[in-house]
């Protein structure tokens, strides 16, 4: 859930998702970013859209990915978080750097297990393994494996998702 800027690394998320067959087998990917039906005048955004379409084609992600236009309505954003939480999904914030991390706080508030960049604010917001997980966006393969491990553990232990969800809510309430 971000602008389609290079620093937000949404295309990196699509790439590391696409490269990991086990992750694709376990879960689908929902991306909330720029309205891809509209042409952009921003050169960086155009380049990121081109990369995104390239990864979708390269990794044959049709049927595994849903690209939803960014929402400007906060209530609708909250509903998106809750919809993903109701399906026992997670939130991934793969930015190369994030000064603060509002989406991380929003997702954790909704009880979503959150995987977010270690570079910047999210590194301080999340307690790794307790209220979410740190990922290094420069190491997409490791981030994908962390997600695979999480979802496999959730299959083995039906309480694991709930434990991280409650940890996220608790961390937000405490801080």
């Amino acid at each position: 859930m971000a602008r389609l800027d290079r620093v937000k690394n949404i295309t990196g998320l699509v790439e590391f998702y696409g490269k990991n067959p086990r992750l694709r087998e376990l879960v689908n990917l929902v991306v909330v970013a720029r309205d891809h039906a509209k042409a952009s005048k921003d050169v960086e955004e155009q380049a990121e859209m081109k990369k995104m379409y390239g990864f979708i084609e390269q990794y044959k992600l049709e049927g595994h990915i849903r690209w939803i236009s960014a929402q400007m309505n906060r209530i609708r954003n909250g509903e998106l978080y809750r919809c993903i939480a109701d399906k026992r999904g997670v939130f991934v914030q793969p930015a190369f750097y994030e000064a603060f991390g509002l989406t991380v706080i929003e997702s954790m508030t909704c009880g979503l297990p959150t995987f977010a960049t270690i570079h910047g604010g999210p590194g301080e917001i999340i307690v790794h393994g307790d209220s979410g997980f740190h990922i290094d966006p420069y190491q997409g393969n490791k981030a994908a494996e962390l997600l695979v491990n999480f979802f496999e553990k959730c299959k083995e232990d039906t309480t694991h998702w709930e434990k991280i969800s409650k940890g996220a809510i608790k961390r937000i309430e405490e801080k």
Side-chain angles (χ1 to χ4, degrees):
M1 215 184 254
R3 298 180 315 274
L4 203 51
D5 295 341
R6 185 184 171 288
V7 72
K8 295 296 186 179
N9 195 33
I10 300 298
T11 55
L13 169 62
V14 174
E15 182 180 30
F16 76 66
Y17 172 81
K19 281 182 172 180
N20 191 301
R22 181 66 179 135
L23 184 57
R24 289 194 326 265
E25 185 181 304
L26 287 165
V27 296
N28 289 319
L29 178 63
V30 176
V31 173
V32 183
R34 170 97 170 80
D35 185 346
H36 54 93
K38 295 180 181 175
S40 174
K41 294 178 182 176
D42 183 283
V43 175
E44 181 179 342
E45 198 169 58
Q46 290 171 358
E48 290 299 298
M49 286 179 78
K50 185 176 179 179
K51 275 179 27 182
M52 184 93 83
Y53 283 122
F55 290 142
I56 291 169
E57 185 177 322
Q58 178 182 351
Y59 297 112
K60 298 174 180 33
L61 298 180
E62 185 81 25
H64 295 278
I65 186 172
R66 177 74 62 203
W67 185 349
I68 299 173
S69 297
Q71 304 294 307
M72 301 312 284
N73 181 312
R74 288 179 187 243
I75 293 170
R76 215 178 253 163
N77 282 338
E79 288 300 313
L80 283 170
Y81 290 121
R82 285 303 320 147
C83 182
I84 300 297
D86 289 348
K87 297 290 184 184
R88 295 204 177 259
V90 302
F91 180 80
V92 181
Q93 195 271 30
F96 289 120
Y97 179 80
E98 185 67 44
F100 180 65
L102 182 60
T103 57
V104 171
I105 291 171
E106 290 172 345
S107 66
M108 290 172 69
T109 299
C110 291
L112 266 171
T114 300
F115 293 71
T117 184
I118 191 67
H119 304 291
E124 296 178 26
I125 296 168
I126 292 172
V127 176
H128 186 79
D130 181 52
S131 62
F133 300 90
H134 298 138
I135 61 170
D136 185 340
Y138 295 98
Q139 297 184 22
N141 292 341
K142 287 183 180 180
E145 280 303 314
L146 187 62
L147 285 156
V148 166
N149 292 340
F150 174 80
F151 284 111
E152 286 181 340
K153 187 167 184 176
C154 288
K155 286 175 80 172
E156 294 167 11
D157 176 1
T158 58
T159 65
H160 185 62
W161 189 96
E162 192 70 31
K163 177 185 149 215
I164 301 300
S165 173
K166 286 180 180 177
I169 293 168
K170 183 179 178 202
R171 177 75 173 161
I172 295 301
E173 289 173 349
E174 289 175 354
K175 298 297 176 184

